[in-house]
Amino acid sequence: MYSFVLTNSIKKETRNLAVICQSLAAQIKDPLLQLWLCHYSIVSVNTPNTPIVENLFLTNTCRYLVERRWYEQWKEYVVTGDQNSSSFPGQIDNTELFEELDSYHLKERLVENEDFVLIPAEAWRNLLAWYGMVDDQPALERKVVDLPSTVKIEVYPVEIFLCLHSNMENVVTAQFSHTIQKVMMKQFDVVEGAETRLWMKSSDTCCERLRNVNVNVLDSSLSSGMTVIMEMRNEDGTWPSSRPQIMNSVEEQESYRGQPGVCGLTNLGNTCFMNSALQCLSNTPPLTEYFLQSAYLEELNFTNPLGMKGEIAEAYADVIKQMWSGRHYSVVPRLFKTKVGHFASQFLGYQQHDSQELLSFLLDGLHEDLNRVKNKEYIELRDADGRPDQEVAEEAWHNHQRRNNSVIVDTFHGLFKSTLVCPECRKVSVTFDPFCYLSVPLPVSKDRVMEVFFVYLDPVAKPVQMVVADVFNHRFYKIYHADESLSCILDRDDIFVYELSSGSVEEEEGDEVVLALYLRERSHYRDSGSGSSSCGTSLFGHPLLMAVPRVQCSRNALYHLFLQRLGASGEVRAGCSTKDSASASCSAGASAGVPTNSQQGAGLQQQQPCHTEEEEEKGECPPQTNERQAKRKGYQARRRKLLFSIHAVNSNGTTERGMGEDGSAFSFSSQPYVAIDWDPDMKKKCYNENEAEKYVKHQSMEVPHQQTTVQLQECIELFTTVEILEEENPWYCPICKKHQLATKKLDLWSLPEVLIIHLKRFSYTKYSREKLDIIVDFPLRLVISCLSFTPPSRYDLIAVSNHYGGLRDGHYTSYARNKDNGQWYYFDDNKVTYAREEQIVTNAAYLLFYHRQDKIRQPTLPPPSDSSSSPTQPANVTSHKHDGMERAISCVNMETD
């Protein structure tokens, strides 16, 4: 009977008998009992029917192959207990498992428990120590591969070919199932710490990146016969297999040595928004040092369903390492742009975008690609329920880090305190939410300056009735009603205000109707596409609004009213009339029975009128004249050539139907639109385009617009003021059991190492879009307090993203402070120039980057001695004077993309 004391390496709660046997075998001096215990451990491993054995099977990382016939003889020897028996197995002999004894390749299609058995590593070491190996045969070690649902021992390792990118001829054959990178670095004597990447080559033309270099051969989908190529990053941050385009010749690039980080980014076509955001992040020290030190390689998360399989992080790392190599004037971020568009379809193509939106996507993508949490657990959030804020905040931050833990969280994430109050039951709900940046509103004055074009009837009389309309592309985009808000009008809109004699747009059934009048020019060619004999037309000039009595809505009356209005404004040249008629015939205006002279001295030629129809009715014309007039009346009507024709159209200016030739009144059922069509020759002869485009600037246009300046602290205070939730986003009150428009207040609880402040210059509402160009006076050194009972945080400004222009077009640039020499630079795509601190605060500032002072590392290099020239292109810099101050950023290109 044996009595044993377990060693400290075996825990008391261990119920795995095979492990116990292996431990006891090391303590027992009796060889026969040692053999029996070793045999039991082998049998246990090869009988995976119990949880005990499965636990052992999972904990060991390798197995050894032993030829089954030798194993059966050894088992008989152990069971009989006769050490002098003829069943003594002798040395371990695996000869029957090999195809050739020279190469020691295994035979094909060997079957477990028929040709060989698998034994654990501890048992193998004991057997090897007791019996040895025949003829120095190699140990047949095989790795245990942990698959998602089971484990597998790879009996036949994958045979692959290994080589370096720099020497593709030197190919080494290797068989293994473990990770590849360490084996290749050892095989090819690659310096430890060198950054490498692997490519899988399955054919002469197909190569694929092996992104996760820590996976084993099975997980990487490698199969026998494939080639794995290793390449090492160049000193300039590029890779030999994909050297990027550069802004200068190869010879200049090889010899160039500049300040790391002072590097431009090529505009690929409306990508200034991306370049601006990248420059700001590039000059954020903790994030850049993290990538330059290749710390990201150990934290790439390839299994995160919310991530991008590490591709965004790798693409960003490539850009940063090239920019900070000191070997480039400018690099082309084409691969990075492609990756961004691949994972965020809104950035596909080459349209202009918002740098803040790109920054938000990039920070989120980097976080998910580098998230240290591989399996996110479900966490049920709790309300404060009266608990102290400090306790609730610590719980919220702990829960956040249980699911989100990355360099982005370490650097950019802070904590909000959100307080909701129910308007009915006064229930108070307090939660703490993480944030990555602050989006602060800008205080906006309620006064608004708008430019309008006023079209008057009488420049002397005071206007009585006016109508406001938005004119776009020679047509009315919208005719506004009197009760509509000014918020419906955008700053970019061309607003016309028309004076009317009386009436309004709403009076469709009254005595007057407001006609919308378009000007069109007929084409010389027939509109063959419409299938009709009519000519094509095109709009020109500015449309008009006119109040017309309903009784005068006939062709003849409208013709004269329109002609009178155009003549009054000078659009119809003086002297234009129907000269095709006989010398005694009436002018076009007189034929309608209204005098042709302009009421305001405008341009219709005054003529001696012939005898009109009214004179004929009164008998005032001589008899011979009456007789002659009667005979020629029909002939003159046929020969009369009008300046233009009138047609009813829709709001787009497309003809719907022609006006009646009989002169009868036309009935309008909705907002009436009419067009007058000019023959090209008649338009050229009688329409004065120069006069039509003239306008007089009112004295109010000469008053300079005073630009408003607000303090950054005002924006932050406005961000933390109490507001009422919008109807689209109510809060569910657990006491009232319904959704409520509660009051909400946000407070800053804790602040991150790098604070990003987004100035909300772009205002998007249901009715309007505008950009606020007010100057936000932000300090270079910011002191900001929060509610976490800590001293105020002190920050230094390190970068600014600027936006110039309006909503339709614009250009992004950036200011940034280099972490190595402390010098400020101005980045405008591929151009980089020196900058001074007093130049940074402008009305173009859009994103502000602040670094907490207690985390700032002092510059390791002195500032450049000459800051008056470009750091990368000294020959191209000139100086300009602006408002009496010399501008060092003279080569800034303010053109839009």
Side-chain angles (χ1 to χ4, degrees):
M1 176 68 70
Y2 286 91
S3 176
F4 303 101
V5 177
L6 297 180
T7 61
N8 293 331
S9 61
I10 303 297
K11 297 181 180 179
K12 293 181 179 180
E13 62 270 21
T14 301
R15 298 184 180 274
N16 194 321
L17 188 56
V19 176
I20 296 176
C21 291
Q22 292 183 30
S23 178
L24 293 178
Q27 303 180 49
I28 298 173
K29 303 303 181 182
D30 190 325
L32 184 60
L33 187 56
Q34 285 185 339
L35 290 173
W36 184 87
L37 290 172
C38 185
H39 164 70
Y40 184 84
S41 69
I42 296 172
V43 173
S44 299
V45 169
N46 287 277
T47 313
N49 296 321
T50 65
I52 295 177
V53 177
E54 289 179 1
N55 186 31
L56 173 67
F57 196 78
L58 287 169
T59 55
N60 289 286
T61 59
C62 66
R63 295 288 182 271
Y64 288 82
L65 274 68
V66 175
E67 200 268 328
R68 184 177 179 276
R69 189 166 53 181
W70 185 94
Y71 168 75
E72 292 294 339
Q73 187 175 353
W74 172 81
K75 186 171 66 171
E76 180 183 352
Y77 168 69
V78 173
V79 171
T80 59
D82 184 2
Q83 299 188 37
N84 298 318
S85 170
S86 61
S87 62
F88 180 75
Q91 291 180 311
I92 302 174
D93 187 2
N94 288 330
T95 302
E96 296 298 324
L97 300 181
F98 296 119
E99 187 78 36
E100 300 175 355
L101 293 179
D102 294 335
S103 61
Y104 293 111
H105 284 174
L106 288 181
K107 292 180 180 179
E108 296 293 334
R109 295 183 291 276
L110 294 177
V111 180
E112 184 181 358
N113 295 329
E114 291 185 10
D115 300 309
F116 65 89
V117 292
L118 296 169
I119 63 175
E122 186 67 26
W124 168 258
R125 283 191 288 270
N126 288 333
L127 290 175
L128 188 63
W130 295 334
Y131 302 104
M133 289 284 293
V134 173
D135 297 330
D136 297 325
Q137 291 180 0
L140 300 178
E141 180 186 2
R142 294 297 183 263
K143 296 292 183 180
V144 177
V145 181
D146 187 6
L147 299 176
S149 58
T150 183
V151 292
K152 178 182 178 181
I153 298 175
E154 192 176 26
V155 177
Y156 293 96
V158 176
E159 183 178 83
I160 58 178
F161 304 101
L162 310 177
C163 66
L164 292 176
H165 184 274
S166 57
N167 187 6
M168 303 281 286
E169 302 298 327
N170 182 20
V171 180
V172 177
T173 305
Q175 288 185 340
F176 49 85
S177 59
H178 41 76
T179 56
I180 304 173
Q181 187 180 43
K182 293 182 180 179
V183 176
M184 294 191 68
M185 294 183 71
K186 183 178 180 180
Q187 176 70 40
F188 295 107
D189 298 324
V190 178
V191 179
E192 185 177 357
E195 189 174 353
T196 62
R197 65 181 185 181
L198 305 180
W199 294 86
M200 299 181 295
K201 183 180 179 183
S202 58
S203 64
D204 293 337
T205 59
C206 181
C207 281
E208 182 182 354
R209 271 285 308 280
L210 179 60
R211 298 190 177 277
N212 189 356
V213 296
N214 296 317
V215 299
N216 53 49
V217 174
L218 286 180
D219 292 337
S220 61
S221 302
L222 277 169
S223 58
S224 295
M226 296 180 67
T227 301
V228 176
I229 305 171
M230 173 181 282
E231 62 173 340
M232 289 161 285
R233 190 187 289 274
N234 298 323
E235 293 183 0
D236 64 352
T238 62
W239 294 100
S241 62
S242 57
R243 184 175 179 88
Q245 300 176 20
I246 51 181
M247 293 303 296
N248 42 295
S249 65
V250 177
E251 293 76 11
E252 292 176 343
Q253 193 75 25
E254 294 296 335
S255 62
Y256 175 73
R257 296 295 183 272
Q259 173 64 42
V262 184
C263 177
L265 292 170
T266 301
N267 193 321
L268 305 175
N270 282 333
T271 58
C272 59
F273 72 96
M274 181 183 74
N275 295 345
S276 177
L278 284 176
Q279 292 288 6
C280 291
L281 282 182
S282 170
N283 288 278
T284 302
L287 185 63
T288 294
E289 290 171 0
Y290 171 85
F291 280 95
L292 292 180
Q293 295 168 4
S294 299
Y296 72 98
L297 292 175
E298 299 298 324
E299 296 184 344
L300 286 171
N301 191 332
F302 298 98
T303 60
N304 187 356
L306 301 179
M308 291 85 174
K309 310 302 180 185
E311 294 187 36
I312 286 294
E314 287 187 331
Y316 178 77
D318 287 346
V319 174
I320 293 300
K321 293 198 173 189
Q322 293 170 35
M323 294 174 66
W324 286 85
S325 67
R327 304 291 186 95
H328 303 293
Y329 297 146
S330 178
V331 298
V332 181
R334 192 178 305 279
L335 178 61
F336 177 80
K337 170 68 171 63
T338 302
K339 293 295 183 184
V340 169
H342 175 72
F343 291 105
S345 59
Q346 66 269 29
F347 297 112
L348 278 173
Y350 297 94
Q351 300 297 319
Q352 181 64 277
H353 294 282
D354 191 326
S355 66
Q356 187 272 332
E357 293 179 0
L358 185 278
L359 178 69
S360 176
F361 163 78
L362 182 55
L363 290 178
D364 185 65
L366 290 176
H367 160 65
E368 296 296 353
D369 271 1
L370 301 169
N371 198 345
R372 305 177 185 114
V373 180
K374 306 303 180 184
N375 298 308
K376 295 187 178 183
E377 56 182 313
Y378 172 75
I379 300 174
E380 186 173 354
L381 301 180
R382 298 170 54 196
D383 198 37
D385 290 331
R387 292 181 294 161
D389 285 349
Q390 187 70 29
E391 176 186 343
V392 180
E394 291 177 357
E395 178 186 87
W397 185 251
H398 175 67
N399 289 338
H400 178 59
Q401 288 193 311
R402 286 166 64 185
R403 293 175 56 86
N404 304 278
N405 186 5
S406 69
V407 64
I408 303 300
V409 175
D410 300 340
T411 306
F412 298 100
H413 282 206
L415 208 60
F416 283 140
K417 177 187 177 182
S418 175
T419 306
L420 293 169
V421 180
C422 178
E424 291 188 12
C425 67
R426 311 307 298 175
K427 159 71 176 176
V428 178
S429 173
V430 177
T431 57
F432 290 84
D433 305 306
F435 69 88
C436 190
Y437 49 84
L438 298 181
S439 291
V440 298
L442 273 59
V444 181
S445 173
K446 294 183 178 180
D447 296 334
R448 183 179 177 188
V449 178
M450 300 175 60
E451 292 184 4
V452 299
F453 294 90
F454 179 56
V455 183
Y456 56 80
L457 286 177
D458 188 345
V460 179
K462 182 178 180 180
V464 177
Q465 183 68 38
M466 294 176 290
V467 175
V468 180
D470 180 2
V471 175
F472 175 72
N473 199 19
H474 312 295
R475 59 173 60 87
F476 289 112
Y477 183 78
K478 183 177 181 180
I479 299 176
Y480 293 96
H481 296 274
D483 57 351
E484 290 192 73
S485 172
L486 285 178
S487 62
C488 302
I489 301 176
L490 307 182
D491 289 338
R492 68 189 185 199
D493 295 339
D494 292 328
I495 302 301
F496 283 68
V497 179
Y498 295 91
E499 179 187 3
L500 305 178
S501 58
S502 62
S504 66
V505 178
E506 291 83 359
E507 294 181 10
E508 297 178 356
E509 303 299 332
D511 296 331
E512 288 187 336
V513 62
V514 176
L515 293 181
L517 177 62
Y518 291 156
L519 304 179
R520 302 192 306 186
E521 180 180 1
R522 286 193 296 268
S523 172
H524 283 291
Y525 304 98
R526 297 290 181 182
D527 188 2
S528 58
S530 63
S532 66
S533 59
S534 61
C535 297
T537 59
S538 59
L539 294 171
F540 70 92
H542 298 304
L544 295 173
L545 285 175
M546 295 177 58
V548 178
R550 286 188 177 273
V551 296
Q552 294 191 21
C553 289
S554 63
R555 175 179 176 276
N556 293 337
L558 289 178
Y559 178 87
H560 179 64
L561 290 177
F562 295 161
L563 187 62
Q564 182 184 12
R565 178 63 183 270
L566 296 177
S569 61
E571 295 181 53
V572 175
R573 301 180 188 274
C576 286
S577 62
T578 54
K579 296 181 179 181
D580 291 339
S581 303
S583 59
S585 66
C586 300
S587 69
S591 66
V594 183
T596 58
N597 58 310
S598 172
Q599 298 292 334
Q600 301 173 25
L604 286 184
Q605 184 181 20
Q606 186 81 350
Q607 298 184 9
Q608 287 291 337
C610 68
H611 300 285
T612 64
E613 297 176 4
E614 184 181 4
E615 291 175 334
E616 294 178 8
E617 293 177 359
K618 294 181 179 180
E620 297 178 359
C621 291
Q624 64 276 18
T625 304
N626 290 339
E627 182 179 356
R628 185 173 58 228
Q629 187 70 25
K631 292 181 180 179
R632 300 185 59 183
K633 186 174 183 180
Y635 174 73
Q636 291 173 5
R638 289 191 301 268
R639 291 199 55 190
R640 181 182 301 131
K641 185 174 182 181
L642 305 180
L643 298 184
F644 49 78
S645 59
I646 303 174
H647 302 272
V649 296
N650 56 23
S651 59
N652 292 325
T654 305
T655 302
E656 289 185 338
R657 55 190 179 277
M659 299 294 289
E661 293 294 334
D662 56 355
S664 60
F666 188 83
S667 176
F668 298 104
S669 58
S670 60
Q671 171 61 51
Y673 292 85
V674 295
I676 57 176
D677 290 356
W678 290 78
D679 180 79
D681 295 333
M682 188 66 73
K683 173 177 174 288
K684 182 178 180 180
K685 178 180 179 181
C686 295
Y687 187 79
N688 192 338
E689 293 192 45
N690 293 332
E691 192 68 27
E693 295 295 331
K694 282 185 179 180
Y695 63 88
V696 178
K697 280 191 176 181
H698 189 263
Q699 58 185 5
S700 61
M701 295 290 293
E702 307 299 331
V703 178
H705 178 57
Q706 296 182 352
Q707 199 161 29
T708 307
T709 301
V710 299
Q711 301 296 319
L712 178 61
Q713 188 62 34
E714 296 180 53
C715 303
I716 297 176
E717 291 174 357
L718 185 61
F719 174 76
T720 57
T721 56
V722 178
E723 62 178 0
I724 300 177
L725 296 178
E726 298 179 351
E727 294 183 0
E728 296 82 5
N729 187 29
W731 169 67
Y732 183 79
C733 177
I735 304 299
C736 300
K737 305 295 183 183
K738 63 179 181 178
H739 288 88
Q740 297 281 14
L741 298 181
T743 59
K744 179 179 181 181
K745 187 178 189 304
L746 288 177
D747 292 294
L748 301 177
W749 179 263
S750 62
L751 297 173
E753 177 181 350
V754 175
L755 177 64
I756 303 176
I757 300 179
H758 167 221
L759 304 178
K760 299 174 69 174
R761 292 194 177 276
F762 299 103
S763 174
Y764 300 98
T765 66
K766 188 175 181 180
Y767 302 103
S768 63
R769 295 182 178 183
E770 59 179 338
K771 182 194 174 186
L772 306 176
D773 285 323
I774 60 177
I775 296 178
V776 178
D777 188 5
F778 52 90
L780 300 182
R781 286 151 192 86
L782 174 68
V783 179
I784 185 171
S785 301
C786 53
L787 299 180
S788 58
F789 308 106
T790 58
S793 299
R794 299 180 180 274
Y795 288 90
D796 281 357
L797 186 71
I798 57 173
V800 179
S801 175
N802 304 306
H803 179 267
Y804 300 93
L807 288 173
R808 289 183 177 178
D809 51 19
H811 185 59
Y812 286 93
T813 65
S814 56
Y815 289 104
R817 180 178 179 268
N818 187 275
K819 67 182 182 66
D820 291 339
N821 62 11
Q823 172 67 41
W824 280 93
Y825 296 92
Y826 184 80
F827 298 90
D828 183 8
D829 289 334
N830 62 307
K831 288 177 286 187
V832 185
T833 52
Y834 291 107
R836 298 192 301 270
E837 289 186 348
E838 58 267 23
Q839 297 171 326
I840 298 173
V841 179
T842 67
N843 65 339
Y846 185 46
L847 296 173
L848 311 177
F849 288 69
Y850 284 96
H851 194 188
R852 205 165 61 217
Q853 290 180 357
D854 61 339
K855 296 289 186 178
I856 294 179
R857 177 176 57 84
Q858 294 301 317
T860 57
L861 300 174
S865 57
D866 183 12
S867 299
S868 61
S869 62
S870 167
T872 59
Q873 298 171 332
N876 295 334
V877 174
T878 57
S879 279
H880 293 268
K881 297 283 186 176
H882 181 68
D883 295 335
M885 180 179 70
E886 184 177 356
R887 304 288 289 183
I889 53 170
S890 55
C891 71
V892 176
N893 183 4
M894 295 304 298
E895 296 178 1
T896 64
D897 288 336

